[in-house]
Amino acid sequence: MENKFPGKDISDQDLKDKFPLSSSLNKKKIIKVSKDITFGSKDVPVIAGPNTLENKDMIFRCCELLEKKGLKLLRGGIYKPLTFPYRSEKYFELGDKGIRILEDIKKNFDVLIVSEIMETEKIHLIENHIDVFQIGARNMQNYPLITKVAKTQKPILLKRHFGCSIRDLLGAAEYALVEKNENVILCERGVSVPHTHRGTSRFLLDLQAIPAVQENSCLPIISDPTHASFWHKWVRSLSLASLAVGSDGLMIETHHDPRNAAVDPLQAINFDEFSKLIDELREVGKVLNKKIV
Ligand code: PEP
Ligand code: MN
């Protein structure tokens, strides 16, 4: 079919040629993380937790909050990309201690763990302790990493790089799909723009990317208002807006004492705010026929 809109990110011909596995020419994919958690259905899973797994006590508090709110997906990263290398604490590289905490979480709570991976050599260390591999914005085009992670056949949360188009994002997703791992969940986490409307914010949540991905692709896409805004006061409205534009899920940072969080203390919301937000999302979800899980 002729592409009537040459300005369009992805032409109809490209959908066939370059995106044979991820394009909307395929049946919409429903990605099953467990028997009751799916992305791409009427359910809208919320992945919640701190930026960084600081210690057992704080992550257990988060798990208790998730249980209380009837949620299942925990952010539980033990490898962490930090913009600058100058930190005395090694939160970004918890190593064996981190793996023991992941084991403890699984022993004590019925949660599913979403955990970032940055190096191919570490895949085998966490593979059996987590449920979803997160490939962060900075590694979106690290094709050898995507390929090796895909071979585990575990679901992948692939975050869009802040300077990349949807074309680039779907191209990266193809690297996983071509390994016969169909379980790819995309994530919009903000893009670089000249103005973010706040001094310390670096990105702008590209809400438009959500319907655009859904128009062009068979893969589900979730929204991460926390990383996009970098500002706790905007997380509520941007989460509600993400649900309204049809996001297939949300990633929200929450911490029992956000302003004293080890990493990015301005972006996490506290447990009370999180709890209220989940209630509000559930109310809005009723109107949209979506269930927050
Ligand atoms: C994160 O989710 O912890 C993260 C680092 O996000 P991003 O890759 O989107 O910056
Ligand atoms: Mn971060």
Side-chain angles (χ1 to χ4, degrees):
M1 210 201 300
E2 184 203 349
N3 176 21
K4 294 198 202 72
F5 306 103
K8 202 169 161 244
D9 209 19
I10 304 178
S11 72
D12 292 336
Q13 194 57 47
D14 275 1
L15 285 182
K16 272 198 222 122
D17 297 345
K18 300 205 167 67
F19 308 99
L21 304 171
S22 65
S23 86
S24 51
L25 301 172
N26 299 286
K27 192 166 163 263
K28 284 269 173 209
K29 288 203 194 324
I30 294 179
I31 292 162
K32 209 168 171 171
V33 179
S34 72
K35 70 175 187 339
D36 45 7
I37 296 292
T38 57
F39 288 84
S41 66
K42 281 195 162 56
D43 290 351
V44 176
V46 176
I47 305 167
N51 184 290
T52 304
L53 203 160
E54 293 168 25
N55 55 55
K56 186 169 149 179
D57 174 62
M58 66 90 72
I59 202 74
F60 273 32
R61 286 186 185 212
C62 261
C63 293
E64 281 158 15
L65 174 70
L66 260 62
E67 273 188 350
K68 201 174 113 206
K69 298 309 290 180
L71 302 172
K72 277 274 155 68
L73 286 157
L74 175 76
R75 266 181 68 96
I78 62 169
Y79 307 123
K80 186 74 215 138
L82 297 171
T83 305
F84 305 101
Y86 309 112
R87 295 182 75 93
S88 51
E89 320 92 326
K90 293 279 183 262
Y91 289 120
F92 53 93
E93 186 52 274
L94 283 176
D96 288 349
K97 186 180 158 213
I99 291 165
R100 280 198 299 278
I101 299 176
L102 294 178
E103 284 170 350
D104 281 340
I105 295 170
K106 286 288 191 179
K107 267 186 224 143
N108 288 280
F109 298 94
D110 180 22
V111 293
L112 301 161
I113 303 178
V114 181
S115 205
E116 178 153 5
I117 187 83
M118 297 197 291
E119 296 164 275
T120 53
E121 303 75 40
K122 304 252 164 84
I123 295 171
H124 72 281
L125 296 177
I126 61 169
E127 183 180 349
N128 296 325
H129 304 296
I130 65 156
D131 300 279
V132 178
F133 275 112
Q134 174 172 324
I135 296 185
R138 288 154 191 82
N139 274 307
M140 186 201 92
Q141 290 182 311
N142 185 339
Y143 306 124
L145 178 66
I146 298 172
T147 301
K148 293 233 171 73
V149 169
K151 284 184 199 293
T152 67
Q153 296 303 323
K154 277 217 168 358
I156 300 174
L157 179 68
L158 180 64
K159 297 184 95 175
R160 177 186 177 201
H161 183 274
F162 28 87
C164 282
S165 63
I166 287 165
R167 183 186 177 81
D168 297 327
L169 175 64
L170 295 184
E174 289 280 329
Y175 276 85
L177 299 170
V178 88
E179 296 301 327
K180 305 216 170 354
N181 186 342
E182 299 211 322
N183 306 311
V184 183
I185 303 147
L186 306 173
C187 180
E188 162 55 32
R189 47 79 69 222
V191 289
S192 294
V193 289
H195 302 283
T196 59
H197 320 301
R198 198 174 171 274
T200 57
S201 297
R202 288 179 292 166
F203 310 108
L204 189 80
L205 183 63
D206 181 4
L207 283 172
Q208 204 158 306
I210 290 165
V213 163
Q214 289 166 340
E215 184 185 347
N216 287 288
S217 175
C218 60
L219 301 174
I221 177 155
I222 72 163
S223 168
D224 177 350
T226 306
H227 279 84
S229 67
F230 206 64
W231 185 228
H232 61 99
K233 291 189 183 171
W234 295 350
V235 168
R236 172 186 169 269
S237 51
L238 294 176
S239 298
L240 290 163
S242 297
L243 180 65
V245 295
S247 183
D248 295 304
L250 285 159
M251 177 174 255
I252 301 173
E253 258 178 44
T254 185
H255 190 288
H256 67 276
D257 183 11
R259 302 299 87 75
N260 288 305
V263 178
D264 294 342
L266 296 180
Q267 71 185 21
I269 55 174
N270 68 32
F271 285 3
D272 262 356
E273 291 162 340
F274 178 80
S275 201
K276 282 195 198 104
L277 174 56
I278 295 298
D279 295 344
E280 282 185 292
L281 287 165
R282 287 196 163 124
E283 283 304 309
V284 175
K286 278 184 206 157
V287 181
L288 300 167
N289 197 22
K290 297 272 192 180
K291 190 169 158 222
I292 306 297
V293 295

